[in-house]
């Protein structure tokens, strides 16, 4: 009887640990990509020269230097000298709108 109870506890515990590890990995992925997007936003707000931006093959270049990869959407619009940039990466999993 105790062996059956122990086996059930081990199985349930291992499923919980696996679920937590999987969720932690996914959260780390989103945090890493969000940090990359935030550094890109800071870089663009410091340089403020959007004529040097170019997108080719899901990659964003600034003055022919790779700035960001895996871009699925990139749109720039301007209203009253404020640039609005809508950007999505990783097949539209992470999207942000920047006002620069």
């Amino acid at each position: 009887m105790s062996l059956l109870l122990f086996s059930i506890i081990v199985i349930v515990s291992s499923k919980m640990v696996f679920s937590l590890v999987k969720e932690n990995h996914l959260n780390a992925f989103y945090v890493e990509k969000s940090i990359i997007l935030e550094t890109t936003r800071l870089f663009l707000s410091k340089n403020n020269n959007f004529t040097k931006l170019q997108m080719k093959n899901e990659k964003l270049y600034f003055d022919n230097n790779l700035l960001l990869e895996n871009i699925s959407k990139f749109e720039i619009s301007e209203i009253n000298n404020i640039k609005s940039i809508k950007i999505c990466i990783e097949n539209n999993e992470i999207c942000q709108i920047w006002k620069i």
Side-chain angles (χ1 to χ4, degrees):
M1 183 67 173
S2 63
L3 185 59
L4 177 67
L5 183 61
F6 179 73
S7 297
I8 291 171
I9 291 172
V10 167
I11 290 170
V12 170
S13 297
S14 63
K15 284 185 176 183
M16 286 177 51
V17 168
F18 177 75
S19 174
L20 287 173
V21 167
K22 188 176 176 182
E23 185 178 334
N24 188 30
H25 180 69
L26 189 61
N27 286 339
F29 172 79
Y30 285 124
V31 167
E32 176 189 2
K33 297 302 177 181
S34 294
I35 289 172
I36 290 170
L37 278 173
E38 183 62 21
T39 56
T40 304
R41 185 191 67 79
L42 289 171
F43 174 80
L44 290 175
S45 65
K46 289 281 185 185
N47 287 304
N48 211 9
N49 187 352
F50 298 99
T51 59
K52 294 183 179 183
L53 283 177
Q54 183 179 15
M55 188 169 153
K56 287 190 280 188
N57 301 327
E58 295 185 349
K59 295 179 183 178
L60 184 64
Y61 294 91
F62 184 84
D63 201 18
N64 293 324
N65 295 308
L66 183 62
L67 188 60
L68 194 60
E69 296 180 298
N70 298 325
I71 298 175
S72 47
K73 186 177 212 176
F74 184 75
E75 298 171 359
I76 298 178
S77 59
E78 182 176 356
I79 300 173
N80 297 332
N81 287 336
I82 296 176
K83 301 277 188 187
S84 179
I85 300 172
K86 183 174 184 176
I87 188 165
C88 295
I89 59 172
E90 303 297 332
N91 296 322
N92 294 331
E93 285 189 40
I94 303 171
C95 295
Q96 294 183 355
I97 297 175
W98 303 332
K99 305 282 186 190
I100 300 175

